[in-house]
Amino acid sequence: MTQSTINDHLDNPPGDPEHSTHHIVPVGTYLMVFAGLMVLLVMTLVAASFDLGEANLIIAVTIAVLKALLVILYFMHLRWSTKLTQVFAGAALVWLLILFVLTLADFFSRSWIHMPA
Amino acid sequence: MVSETQNTPDPNAASVPAPAVEAASLTAHAPDAPHGDGHESHGPLHHHFDDMEQQRESNTLGMWLFLGTEAMMFGGLFLAYSLYRWMYPWAFHEGSSHLNITLGTINTFVLLFSSLTMALAVRCAGIKDRKWLVRFLILTWILGAAFLIVKGFEWTADYHEGLVPGMNWFYYNEHPAALPRLAEHGISQQNVMMYFVVYFCMTGLHAAHMIVGLALVGWFTFLAAKGRFGGGNDQPVEILGLYWHLIDIIWIFLFPLLYLIAGFHPGGGGH
Amino acid sequence: MRTDAIEQPPPPGKPDVTSVAYEIPREHYLNRDYGWKSWLFTLDHKRIAILYLFSITFMFFLGGMAATLIRLNLITPNSHLLRPQTYNKMFSAHGIIMVFFFLIPSIPAVFGNFLVPMMLGAKDLAFPKLNLLSWYLYMLGSLIGIGAVTFGGVDTGWTFYAPLSTQYAYGNVAITIVGAFLAGFSSILTGLNFIVTIHKMRAPGLTWFRLPLFIWSMYATSIIQVLGTPVLAITLLALFAERVFHLGIFDPKMGGDPILMQHLFWFYSHPAVYIMVLPSMAVVSEVIACFSRRPVFGYRFVAFSSLAIAVIGFLVWGHHMFSTTQSPYASMIFSFLSFLVAIPSGIKVFNWTATLYKGSIRLTTPMLYCLGFIGLFAVGGLTGMHLAAVASDIHLTDTYFIVAHFHYIMVGGATMGYMAAMHFWWPKITGRMYNESLGRAAAILLFVGFNLTFFPQFIAGYEGMPRRYATYAPEYQFLNIMSSAGASILAVAFLLPFIYLIWSLKRGPIAGPNPWRATGLEWQTASPPPWYNFDVVPIVTQGPYAYSPEADELADAQADMTRAQVEYELTRREIEGHHQKEDSTRGV
């Protein structure tokens, strides 16, 4: 039952009938993704050590989004999932955006008109 | 034409509702139940699915939907965070400066590493490498526990410093010198309290999910050691992995948003 | 139709023509297993649906009792029956029970669970164990919830606005919140199950556009359940955290904004009303098609309008907050979007009406409920337009106009849809038919009682009577008396089906697999169905509503032929019997 260990670069096992969604990712890919995550983590800290005002937040969130994308696409296999799965993942993001945009639209636009306190 | 040879419901009878004869034929020729009604140990294919592919895709789809619900749930807290940080930027700046960035960075590293070990565990389940599956699961568990321990230290420190709203808030009583700085920026210690409310709610909910994750990883380690995930039954591990990665992703956002508001100044800042 | 049951089983092997007409199949999902364990640990979606049916009916009557007390109290302006504090607990209990424990689960949990796999030609939902878990979560949540509102009570209204709920309210707010939270997760898991099932477990040939519209609406409902309910979950958690741990995310003393709570709350609770009404619309599509003997007009429009309601429904929640400090610009956007969301609902109403046009209409009980739905939902929806306009909403909000508006949709719409479903699929679920005359009487009584109860409330609200008040100005008394009188008729109209449906379980005529001659895969199997649903996986080759006069004539002719064959067979046996007797007496 056991084959060789983490040096095994077996991709799709031959004869595996469900290889379309049962994707075996090579160890090397995982290690590269992890390296990328580490680089981004360092970048997060480096960016935070400069005072760039509002840009700090945007940079920090952007880097976080990149980290999240790496995890989602590679660790969570979304890259190799069916279109339907990808759509569902995207839908959650869209709905989060709806929540954020419309709610913050209320608060951000309150100052445009004098509101009784 | 009513006929005895019609054992199966005629699909075209969608337009002509099947006459009563076929009802009898349906009941008279009930197929044998595939196995007992109880869903004890069967092979990996559940009886209501047609084949492994359908089961696999269904499980994946279902899990991603569940992750979507988790994202929406945390999203509410991120919304509160966004709003209050926009309303009281200096309160958040001040509050964040009390957090220990070193510990936060360590925790981020620990969690990212645990995602790696979890991904490798899933891979081992897929290639039926039981030994390393168990090892990676154990490693994941240890890393997750380490995260929670560090978090525990952080929270205890906050408690002792009087930075826990509603339970133990006396920091500014002991450090009144800090108050003028707050007033300069137009905020009060109540607003800083709000930062900590958001902090504890978000990290608290995250930690609760970590605890559940640890329980599941522990249970799965036990099952994996017994060989439960061999024989093509690797999907539960994959599903667990998806959950674990989501917890990691949430922390990926929590770390910069909560810890790095006041900037990262390795020489002097933090505690 | 022959309706008597014949007792002898058919001879083995060959389907016996004589014993065929409408007998309860020997083994079906209800009698397959006996004992409480076979029910409480079942994984059969049909049994889980029945479990929900019991619990939901119980919750409905509890909520109805609270409503009774409310209407009794409102007969006089001075709250003679209840102390104001108790009245507050009553309307809160009524709202919490009816919204979280009756309306949200109702059709999806009972009829969705029962019918979705059958309409898809599947053996079960995608995740049967999750389905059972859904029921247990619902039971736990609802029992905790009703325990909390009964013993001690909650007076915040079902909306739990902060800071009243978090800081000033006495009572079992935290416990009630736990109950609603658990019920919410039940809802999420049910929706998740349906979505995956509909995507992945359709029978061969069952393409998306051959699906019954019931499935489209359940799919849209499930999207809302999955994406919206988690936001309620976090809102409830935040309220709980403030109540119990004093972590006040909405606390104004710390600079928190109670309006944030309302945003988060209504982000779910507005789509929630579509969770409540979309399934009823699903039922209406099926019933109208069947009893007009016509396919639904504009199938794709109706299908897409379900999705449109689900999506646009997420964009309108701010219309509950027009009278708060929400920015006028945001209010304008929400107002515009609220007008927009009426369009798909209107499309459905027009399409149903077009389906009726030149149809061969049979006014059966489910049809009466559905026709009532269309009218009452139209009224409710149109009054929603008054409320979508910011200018009029400012005056109408928190008055009885709102109460009437949402009851027209929730009772006149959603609940009537539930009753229609109950009557339409009762024969499928139980194998028995109920008394049609009583059914029609109850439907008409419901329509009359409902309008008498809630139409005066439109007027009262328009004239300024505020809601959630135990007392009111004397000039509203006449309208309130009318409303309470109507409520008594409503009560009878709900009790009647309860009685005659239960009666039919033992004494009703046996229904057979397809008493309504409906299309749909669920009608191609026995009533009650076998636990595995279908003998053979059905293969679908045509669209869902293949009703036509020709098909009906053919079915009539076949029924005549069956009857003729049965008569022939019986006569033949009689004659044979005579000959045998004669032979024996002759001593051959």
Side-chain angles (χ1 to χ4, degrees):
Chain A
M1 168 176 304
T2 61
Q3 298 176 345
S4 66
T5 60
I6 56 177
N7 292 321
D8 190 332
H9 284 286
L10 202 61
D11 203 0
N12 296 324
D16 186 329
E18 318 96 40
H19 77 276
S20 59
T21 49
H22 185 201
H23 189 271
I24 302 291
V25 179
V27 177
T29 311
Y30 284 146
L31 293 176
M32 292 230 302
V33 169
F34 182 68
L37 288 170
M38 290 297 104
V39 165
L40 288 169
L41 177 57
V42 169
M43 275 173 64
T44 313
L45 293 166
V46 166
S49 64
F50 298 109
D51 182 6
L52 305 160
E54 287 305 309
N56 271 118
L57 176 61
I58 299 176
I59 294 173
V61 171
T62 308
I63 299 179
V65 166
L66 290 173
K67 284 188 210 151
L69 273 176
L70 279 177
V71 173
I72 289 176
L73 290 174
Y74 290 95
F75 284 168
M76 296 170 84
H77 297 180
L78 196 65
R79 181 125 185 256
W80 304 288
S81 294
T82 60
K83 269 275 172 302
L84 190 59
T85 311
Q86 293 169 345
V87 166
F88 277 28
L93 182 63
V94 170
W95 253 255
L96 262 179
L97 282 174
I98 295 176
L99 175 64
F100 269 70
V101 167
L102 280 176
T103 309
L104 292 177
D106 168 24
F107 289 98
F108 287 0
S109 62
R110 285 189 191 182
S111 58
W112 297 355
I113 189 173
H114 171 67
M115 302 286 296
Chain B
M1 178 72 194
V2 170
S3 99
E4 293 154 26
T5 57
Q6 270 191 310
N7 270 350
T8 63
D10 180 2
N12 291 314
S15 61
V16 178
V21 152
E22 298 180 38
S25 70
L26 283 173
T27 56
H29 296 279
D32 290 331
H35 54 266
D37 193 20
H39 287 241
E40 336 86 356
S41 59
H42 37 42
L45 181 64
H46 291 230
H47 76 94
H48 55 282
F49 286 115
D50 298 329
D51 54 54
M52 281 303 289
E53 185 70 3
Q54 188 192 40
Q55 176 173 303
R56 197 171 265 286
E57 283 177 23
S58 301
N59 288 340
T60 308
L61 213 54
M63 193 56 186
W64 275 99
L65 278 172
F66 178 69
L67 296 184
T69 70
E70 293 279 46
M72 292 303 292
M73 191 162 89
F74 274 95
L77 285 181
F78 278 102
L79 176 66
Y81 169 93
S82 307
L83 178 66
Y84 291 144
R85 178 166 173 178
W86 174 74
M87 283 168 74
Y88 310 111
W90 280 104
F92 273 51
H93 189 276
E94 169 76 17
S96 175
S97 67
H98 290 286
L99 295 187
N100 187 329
I101 296 184
T102 313
L103 290 182
T105 309
I106 291 176
N107 259 355
T108 311
F109 170 77
V110 160
L111 222 46
L112 288 174
F113 192 44
S114 77
S115 255
L116 174 67
T117 56
M118 176 56 94
L120 289 169
V122 170
R123 182 175 179 281
C124 288
I127 58 174
K128 304 190 176 71
D129 187 344
R130 192 213 305 194
K131 200 164 55 146
W132 277 99
L133 165 61
V134 173
R135 287 177 183 171
F136 280 127
L137 282 176
I138 291 177
L139 204 49
T140 308
W141 195 94
I142 292 174
L143 290 165
F147 177 92
L148 284 176
I149 291 174
V150 170
K151 208 86 214 89
F153 277 131
E154 286 185 89
W155 284 348
T156 318
D158 290 328
Y159 184 84
H160 287 309
E161 288 196 27
L163 288 169
V164 181
M167 256 191 244
N168 221 16
W169 181 265
F170 54 76
Y171 179 85
Y172 288 99
N173 296 351
E174 293 193 345
H175 300 85
L179 286 171
R181 188 174 68 238
L182 299 184
E184 241 176 77
H185 293 291
I187 54 167
S188 70
Q189 61 170 304
Q190 303 287 335
N191 301 128
V192 182
M193 213 195 269
M194 181 55 90
Y195 167 82
F196 277 96
V197 167
V198 171
Y199 168 78
F200 280 110
C201 281
M202 295 184 94
T203 55
L205 190 62
H206 179 262
H209 281 77
M210 281 290 302
I211 294 173
V212 170
L214 276 187
L216 288 171
V217 171
W219 180 37
F220 272 52
T221 312
F222 176 64
L223 290 176
K226 295 212 302 185
R228 233 331 238 286
F229 301 119
N233 189 27
D234 61 313
Q235 222 204 0
V237 186
E238 198 178 311
I239 301 288
L240 175 67
L242 288 177
Y243 177 74
W244 191 264
H245 293 306
L246 182 80
I247 302 182
D248 184 26
I249 290 175
I250 293 170
W251 182 259
I252 285 174
F253 283 97
L254 286 182
F255 172 59
L257 290 177
L258 289 174
Y259 284 79
L260 299 179
I261 304 178
F264 173 56
H265 306 290
H271 281 298
Chain C
M1 267 191 192
R2 284 184 61 169
T3 53
D4 36 10
I6 303 173
E7 294 309 310
Q8 318 97 318
K14 208 161 106 166
D16 186 343
V17 169
T18 59
S19 70
V20 99
Y22 317 134
E23 87 184 348
I24 299 280
R26 243 173 317 153
E27 190 177 281
H28 49 78
Y29 75 101
L30 288 167
N31 67 9
R32 181 169 180 263
D33 252 321
Y34 292 108
W36 61 271
K37 274 198 222 168
S38 75
W39 278 92
L40 290 185
F41 297 129
T42 183
L43 293 174
D44 181 359
H45 65 99
K46 301 183 288 300
R47 284 196 169 200
I48 294 177
I50 303 292
L51 290 174
Y52 269 111
L53 180 60
F54 277 104
S55 350
I56 283 173
T57 309
F58 175 65
M59 293 300 151
F60 179 69
F61 281 110
L62 270 188
M65 273 168 33
T68 309
L69 287 170
I70 292 174
R71 286 290 2 138
L72 284 174
N73 192 56
L74 289 176
I75 291 178
T76 61
N78 296 322
S79 195
H80 277 144
L81 185 64
L82 304 171
R83 283 176 295 134
Q85 180 72 354
T86 313
Y87 178 84
N88 294 351
K89 293 183 185 177
M90 276 306 129
F91 70 68
S92 304
H94 175 71
I96 291 165
I97 296 176
M98 287 306 202
V99 170
F100 292 120
F101 306 136
F102 171 64
L103 282 168
I104 296 272
S106 62
I107 296 182
V110 178
F111 299 102
N113 266 324
F114 198 97
L115 295 168
V116 166
M118 297 192 73
M119 287 184 173
L120 298 177
K123 292 199 201 84
D124 208 313
L125 289 176
F127 308 118
K129 289 187 200 156
L130 217 61
N131 201 12
L132 186 64
L133 177 64
S134 284
W135 182 75
Y136 275 109
L137 283 173
Y138 168 78
M139 286 309 293
L140 192 58
S142 58
L143 287 175
I144 290 177
I146 61 175
V149 301
T150 313
F151 302 109
V154 160
D155 63 352
T156 59
W158 76 277
T159 48
F160 295 121
Y161 279 177
L164 170 65
S165 62
T166 49
Q167 295 180 25
Y168 302 103
Y170 296 108
N172 298 326
V173 174
I175 308 178
T176 313
I177 282 177
V178 170
F181 182 87
L182 291 171
F185 264 94
S186 165
S187 181
I188 290 175
L189 294 178
T190 300
L192 193 154
N193 229 332
F194 285 179
I195 292 179
V196 178
T197 309
I198 294 173
H199 271 285
K200 286 273 143 213
M201 295 177 73
R202 300 194 300 275
L206 192 51
T207 59
W208 279 93
F209 291 116
R210 287 180 181 165
L211 287 170
L213 289 166
F214 183 88
I215 299 287
W216 278 98
S217 283
M218 295 308 294
Y219 183 77
T221 309
S222 303
I223 292 178
I224 307 177
Q225 284 176 298
V226 165
L227 290 171
T229 319
V231 180
L232 175 76
I234 194 62
T235 312
L236 293 177
L237 272 181
L239 293 174
F240 186 85
E242 185 167 350
R243 192 104 176 140
V244 173
F245 302 120
H246 308 292
L247 286 173
I249 249 187
F250 309 120
D251 187 353
K253 293 197 287 290
M254 292 192 284
D257 194 341
I259 305 302
L260 176 65
M261 182 268 169
Q262 293 192 26
H263 273 294
L264 287 171
F265 180 81
W266 287 111
F267 181 87
Y268 163 74
S269 299
H270 186 82
V273 316
Y274 297 113
I275 298 178
M276 299 184 236
V277 91
L278 270 172
S280 294
M281 294 175 160
V283 173
V284 172
S285 293
E286 298 299 313
V287 170
I288 297 260
C290 179
F291 296 113
S292 325
R293 312 309 294 169
R294 295 192 64 219
V296 176
F297 183 88
Y299 171 93
R300 287 191 189 214
F301 276 92
V302 180
F304 285 126
S305 68
S306 298
L307 295 181
I309 291 175
V311 173
I312 306 179
F314 269 101
L315 305 175
V316 301
W317 77 85
H319 66 227
H320 298 270
M321 298 156 59
F322 284 156
S323 61
T324 67
T325 54
Q326 177 175 267
S327 110
Y329 298 102
S331 293
M332 282 194 270
I333 298 175
F334 282 121
S335 171
F336 172 73
L337 290 165
S338 302
F339 279 109
L340 221 54
V341 80
I343 296 178
S345 305
I347 289 178
K348 282 184 184 254
V349 171
F350 286 133
N351 281 313
W352 291 324
T353 314
T355 309
L356 290 168
Y357 179 64
K358 289 202 176 170
S360 171
I361 309 242
R362 287 182 57 203
L363 292 175
T364 57
T365 308
M367 185 62 156
L368 286 176
Y369 279 117
C370 287
L371 292 175
F373 175 102
I374 297 178
L376 298 176
F377 174 76
V379 172
L382 288 171
T383 52
M385 298 294 94
H386 296 269
L387 302 171
V390 182
S392 45
D393 182 79
I394 296 290
H395 299 280
L396 295 172
T397 199
D398 278 336
T399 67
Y400 263 82
F401 193 91
I402 304 275
V403 176
H405 158 74
F406 66 69
H407 279 95
Y408 262 77
I409 312 236
M410 291 304 133
V411 183
T415 308
M416 284 188 93
Y418 181 77
M419 300 302 285
M422 187 75 78
H423 288 79
F424 187 57
W425 280 291
W426 185 260
K428 177 56 56 183
I429 295 175
T430 63
R432 301 268 180 172
M433 276 296 273
Y434 53 87
N435 183 313
E436 186 65 25
S437 316
L438 281 180
R440 290 192 190 124
I444 295 175
L445 206 59
L446 180 55
F447 187 83
V448 169
F450 172 85
N451 279 303
L452 189 56
T453 309
F454 290 105
F455 199 82
Q457 293 185 7
F458 273 129
I459 303 174
Y462 186 77
E463 292 182 352
M465 179 180 171
R467 66 184 283 209
R468 290 182 171 172
Y469 279 34
T471 61
Y472 54 83
E475 54 256 36
Y476 300 119
Q477 183 167 24
F478 176 63
L479 291 167
N480 273 288
I481 293 178
M482 258 209 289
S483 180
S484 297
S488 64
I489 302 178
L490 256 188
V492 174
F494 282 125
L495 279 171
L496 255 183
F498 187 71
I499 296 173
Y500 66 68
L501 285 175
I502 296 185
W503 170 272
S504 78
L505 287 176
K506 277 292 177 233
R507 305 295 184 91
I510 293 169
N514 196 351
W516 307 118
R517 286 202 200 149
T519 63
L521 292 177
E522 77 270 24
W523 299 106
Q524 309 307 320
T525 187
S527 305
W531 72 268
Y532 46 86
N533 293 345
F534 297 96
D535 259 359
V536 176
V537 174
I539 298 174
V540 178
T541 54
Q542 59 182 7
Y545 301 112
Y547 296 107
S548 63
E550 295 79 21
D552 281 343
E553 280 175 19
L554 189 55
D556 278 338
Q558 279 185 318
D560 285 338
M561 200 148 59
T562 311
R563 221 171 293 130
Q565 284 185 313
V566 170
E567 292 296 333
Y568 169 80
E569 184 65 23
L570 284 174
T571 318
R572 190 186 62 75
R573 290 185 182 185
E574 217 184 293
I575 295 175
E576 250 182 44
H578 276 317
H579 285 161
Q580 279 178 356
K581 256 201 280 190
E582 286 174 14
D583 288 342
S584 62
T585 55
R586 261 195 247 131
V588 169

PDB file of all heavy atoms in Angstrom, chain A residues 81-97:
ATOM      1  N   SER A  81      -9.961  22.242  -9.996  1.00  0.00           N
ATOM      2  CA  SER A  81     -11.333  21.827  -9.714  1.00  0.00           C
ATOM      3  C   SER A  81     -12.217  22.102 -10.916  1.00  0.00           C
ATOM      4  O   SER A  81     -11.819  22.762 -11.868  1.00  0.00           O
ATOM      5  CB  SER A  81     -11.880  22.596  -8.512  1.00  0.00           C
ATOM      6  OG  SER A  81     -11.183  22.257  -7.358  1.00  0.00           O
ATOM      7  N   THR A  82     -13.426  21.586 -10.835  1.00  0.00           N
ATOM      8  CA  THR A  82     -14.367  21.808 -11.925  1.00  0.00           C
ATOM      9  C   THR A  82     -14.761  23.280 -11.972  1.00  0.00           C
ATOM     10  O   THR A  82     -14.657  24.008 -10.984  1.00  0.00           O
ATOM     11  CB  THR A  82     -15.633  20.973 -11.716  1.00  0.00           C
ATOM     12  OG1 THR A  82     -16.241  21.362 -10.485  1.00  0.00           O
ATOM     13  CG2 THR A  82     -15.320  19.500 -11.678  1.00  0.00           C
ATOM     14  N   LYS A  83     -15.239  23.679 -13.143  1.00  0.00           N
ATOM     15  CA  LYS A  83     -15.689  25.068 -13.322  1.00  0.00           C
ATOM     16  C   LYS A  83     -16.737  25.425 -12.281  1.00  0.00           C
ATOM     17  O   LYS A  83     -16.760  26.527 -11.749  1.00  0.00           O
ATOM     18  CB  LYS A  83     -16.311  25.230 -14.709  1.00  0.00           C
ATOM     19  CG  LYS A  83     -15.354  25.642 -15.787  1.00  0.00           C
ATOM     20  CD  LYS A  83     -15.187  27.173 -15.812  1.00  0.00           C
ATOM     21  CE  LYS A  83     -14.085  27.601 -16.761  1.00  0.00           C
ATOM     22  NZ  LYS A  83     -12.778  27.028 -16.447  1.00  0.00           N
ATOM     23  N   LEU A  84     -17.603  24.462 -12.009  1.00  0.00           N
ATOM     24  CA  LEU A  84     -18.695  24.726 -11.077  1.00  0.00           C
ATOM     25  C   LEU A  84     -18.147  25.102  -9.707  1.00  0.00           C
ATOM     26  O   LEU A  84     -18.589  26.064  -9.081  1.00  0.00           O
ATOM     27  CB  LEU A  84     -19.578  23.487 -10.975  1.00  0.00           C
ATOM     28  CG  LEU A  84     -20.890  23.651 -10.223  1.00  0.00           C
ATOM     29  CD1 LEU A  84     -21.733  24.721 -10.877  1.00  0.00           C
ATOM     30  CD2 LEU A  84     -21.652  22.333 -10.220  1.00  0.00           C
ATOM     31  N   THR A  85     -17.158  24.337  -9.244  1.00  0.00           N
ATOM     32  CA  THR A  85     -16.548  24.642  -7.949  1.00  0.00           C
ATOM     33  C   THR A  85     -15.942  26.032  -7.972  1.00  0.00           C
ATOM     34  O   THR A  85     -16.076  26.797  -7.013  1.00  0.00           O
ATOM     35  CB  THR A  85     -15.460  23.606  -7.632  1.00  0.00           C
ATOM     36  OG1 THR A  85     -15.999  22.313  -7.851  1.00  0.00           O
ATOM     37  CG2 THR A  85     -15.005  23.719  -6.201  1.00  0.00           C
ATOM     38  N   GLN A  86     -15.282  26.359  -9.064  1.00  0.00           N
ATOM     39  CA  GLN A  86     -14.660  27.679  -9.151  1.00  0.00           C
ATOM     40  C   GLN A  86     -15.710  28.779  -9.110  1.00  0.00           C
ATOM     41  O   GLN A  86     -15.524  29.826  -8.483  1.00  0.00           O
ATOM     42  CB  GLN A  86     -13.820  27.772 -10.422  1.00  0.00           C
ATOM     43  CG  GLN A  86     -12.616  26.852 -10.382  1.00  0.00           C
ATOM     44  CD  GLN A  86     -11.917  26.737 -11.717  1.00  0.00           C
ATOM     45  OE1 GLN A  86     -12.463  27.108 -12.753  1.00  0.00           O
ATOM     46  NE2 GLN A  86     -10.695  26.229 -11.703  1.00  0.00           N
ATOM     47  N   VAL A  87     -16.823  28.523  -9.772  1.00  0.00           N
ATOM     48  CA  VAL A  87     -17.910  29.520  -9.750  1.00  0.00           C
ATOM     49  C   VAL A  87     -18.427  29.701  -8.332  1.00  0.00           C
ATOM     50  O   VAL A  87     -18.651  30.825  -7.875  1.00  0.00           O
ATOM     51  CB  VAL A  87     -19.053  29.089 -10.692  1.00  0.00           C
ATOM     52  CG1 VAL A  87     -20.307  29.896 -10.435  1.00  0.00           C
ATOM     53  CG2 VAL A  87     -18.627  29.249 -12.132  1.00  0.00           C
ATOM     54  N   PHE A  88     -18.609  28.613  -7.614  1.00  0.00           N
ATOM     55  CA  PHE A  88     -19.111  28.711  -6.246  1.00  0.00           C
ATOM     56  C   PHE A  88     -18.138  29.499  -5.376  1.00  0.00           C
ATOM     57  O   PHE A  88     -18.546  30.335  -4.566  1.00  0.00           O
ATOM     58  CB  PHE A  88     -19.305  27.316  -5.653  1.00  0.00           C
ATOM     59  CG  PHE A  88     -20.604  26.674  -6.037  1.00  0.00           C
ATOM     60  CD1 PHE A  88     -21.225  26.986  -7.232  1.00  0.00           C
ATOM     61  CD2 PHE A  88     -21.220  25.758  -5.212  1.00  0.00           C
ATOM     62  CE1 PHE A  88     -22.414  26.401  -7.602  1.00  0.00           C
ATOM     63  CE2 PHE A  88     -22.415  25.171  -5.567  1.00  0.00           C
ATOM     64  CZ  PHE A  88     -23.015  25.483  -6.764  1.00  0.00           C
ATOM     65  N   ALA A  89     -16.834  29.235  -5.542  1.00  0.00           N
ATOM     66  CA  ALA A  89     -15.854  29.975  -4.746  1.00  0.00           C
ATOM     67  C   ALA A  89     -15.937  31.459  -5.081  1.00  0.00           C
ATOM     68  O   ALA A  89     -15.915  32.316  -4.197  1.00  0.00           O
ATOM     69  CB  ALA A  89     -14.445  29.441  -5.024  1.00  0.00           C
ATOM     70  N   GLY A  90     -16.054  31.747  -6.372  1.00  0.00           N
ATOM     71  CA  GLY A  90     -16.174  33.134  -6.781  1.00  0.00           C
ATOM     72  C   GLY A  90     -17.435  33.787  -6.250  1.00  0.00           C
ATOM     73  O   GLY A  90     -17.430  34.960  -5.864  1.00  0.00           O
ATOM     74  N   ALA A  91     -18.523  33.020  -6.210  1.00  0.00           N
ATOM     75  CA  ALA A  91     -19.800  33.578  -5.760  1.00  0.00           C
ATOM     76  C   ALA A  91     -19.707  34.056  -4.320  1.00  0.00           C
ATOM     77  O   ALA A  91     -20.242  35.112  -3.970  1.00  0.00           O
ATOM     78  CB  ALA A  91     -20.912  32.535  -5.895  1.00  0.00           C
ATOM     79  N   ALA A  92     -19.022  33.275  -3.477  1.00  0.00           N
ATOM     80  CA  ALA A  92     -18.885  33.695  -2.082  1.00  0.00           C
ATOM     81  C   ALA A  92     -18.196  35.044  -2.020  1.00  0.00           C
ATOM     82  O   ALA A  92     -18.588  35.929  -1.252  1.00  0.00           O
ATOM     83  CB  ALA A  92     -18.100  32.657  -1.294  1.00  0.00           C
ATOM     84  N   LEU A  93     -17.172  35.200  -2.845  1.00  0.00           N
ATOM     85  CA  LEU A  93     -16.458  36.467  -2.857  1.00  0.00           C
ATOM     86  C   LEU A  93     -17.375  37.604  -3.299  1.00  0.00           C
ATOM     87  O   LEU A  93     -17.396  38.682  -2.696  1.00  0.00           O
ATOM     88  CB  LEU A  93     -15.269  36.355  -3.819  1.00  0.00           C
ATOM     89  CG  LEU A  93     -14.383  37.585  -3.900  1.00  0.00           C
ATOM     90  CD1 LEU A  93     -13.744  37.834  -2.550  1.00  0.00           C
ATOM     91  CD2 LEU A  93     -13.290  37.390  -4.950  1.00  0.00           C
ATOM     92  N   VAL A  94     -18.139  37.367  -4.345  1.00  0.00           N
ATOM     93  CA  VAL A  94     -19.054  38.405  -4.844  1.00  0.00           C
ATOM     94  C   VAL A  94     -20.040  38.808  -3.762  1.00  0.00           C
ATOM     95  O   VAL A  94     -20.306  39.986  -3.547  1.00  0.00           O
ATOM     96  CB  VAL A  94     -19.806  37.898  -6.092  1.00  0.00           C
ATOM     97  CG1 VAL A  94     -20.922  38.841  -6.474  1.00  0.00           C
ATOM     98  CG2 VAL A  94     -18.834  37.732  -7.254  1.00  0.00           C
ATOM     99  N   TRP A  95     -20.570  37.827  -3.050  1.00  0.00           N
ATOM    100  CA  TRP A  95     -21.555  38.150  -2.021  1.00  0.00           C
ATOM    101  C   TRP A  95     -20.934  38.931  -0.872  1.00  0.00           C
ATOM    102  O   TRP A  95     -21.548  39.832  -0.310  1.00  0.00           O
ATOM    103  CB  TRP A  95     -22.245  36.865  -1.518  1.00  0.00           C
ATOM    104  CG  TRP A  95     -23.650  36.797  -2.030  1.00  0.00           C
ATOM    105  CD1 TRP A  95     -24.796  37.021  -1.339  1.00  0.00           C
ATOM    106  CD2 TRP A  95     -24.049  36.529  -3.378  1.00  0.00           C
ATOM    107  NE1 TRP A  95     -25.877  36.927  -2.164  1.00  0.00           N
ATOM    108  CE2 TRP A  95     -25.465  36.622  -3.423  1.00  0.00           C
ATOM    109  CE3 TRP A  95     -23.359  36.235  -4.559  1.00  0.00           C
ATOM    110  CZ2 TRP A  95     -26.193  36.407  -4.574  1.00  0.00           C
ATOM    111  CZ3 TRP A  95     -24.092  36.032  -5.715  1.00  0.00           C
ATOM    112  CH2 TRP A  95     -25.482  36.119  -5.715  1.00  0.00           C
ATOM    113  N   LEU A  96     -19.694  38.603  -0.540  1.00  0.00           N
ATOM    114  CA  LEU A  96     -18.991  39.400   0.462  1.00  0.00           C
ATOM    115  C   LEU A  96     -18.883  40.843   0.000  1.00  0.00           C
ATOM    116  O   LEU A  96     -19.071  41.784   0.773  1.00  0.00           O
ATOM    117  CB  LEU A  96     -17.578  38.844   0.667  1.00  0.00           C
ATOM    118  CG  LEU A  96     -17.373  37.917   1.839  1.00  0.00           C
ATOM    119  CD1 LEU A  96     -15.932  37.448   1.875  1.00  0.00           C
ATOM    120  CD2 LEU A  96     -17.717  38.617   3.142  1.00  0.00           C
ATOM    121  N   LEU A  97     -18.583  40.997  -1.279  1.00  0.00           N
ATOM    122  CA  LEU A  97     -18.461  42.343  -1.822  1.00  0.00           C
ATOM    123  C   LEU A  97     -19.778  43.094  -1.708  1.00  0.00           C
ATOM    124  O   LEU A  97     -19.807  44.272  -1.374  1.00  0.00           O
ATOM    125  CB  LEU A  97     -18.013  42.290  -3.286  1.00  0.00           C
ATOM    126  CG  LEU A  97     -16.525  42.027  -3.479  1.00  0.00           C
ATOM    127  CD1 LEU A  97     -16.206  41.849  -4.952  1.00  0.00           C
ATOM    128  CD2 LEU A  97     -15.722  43.184  -2.904  1.00  0.00           C
TER     129      LEU A  97
END
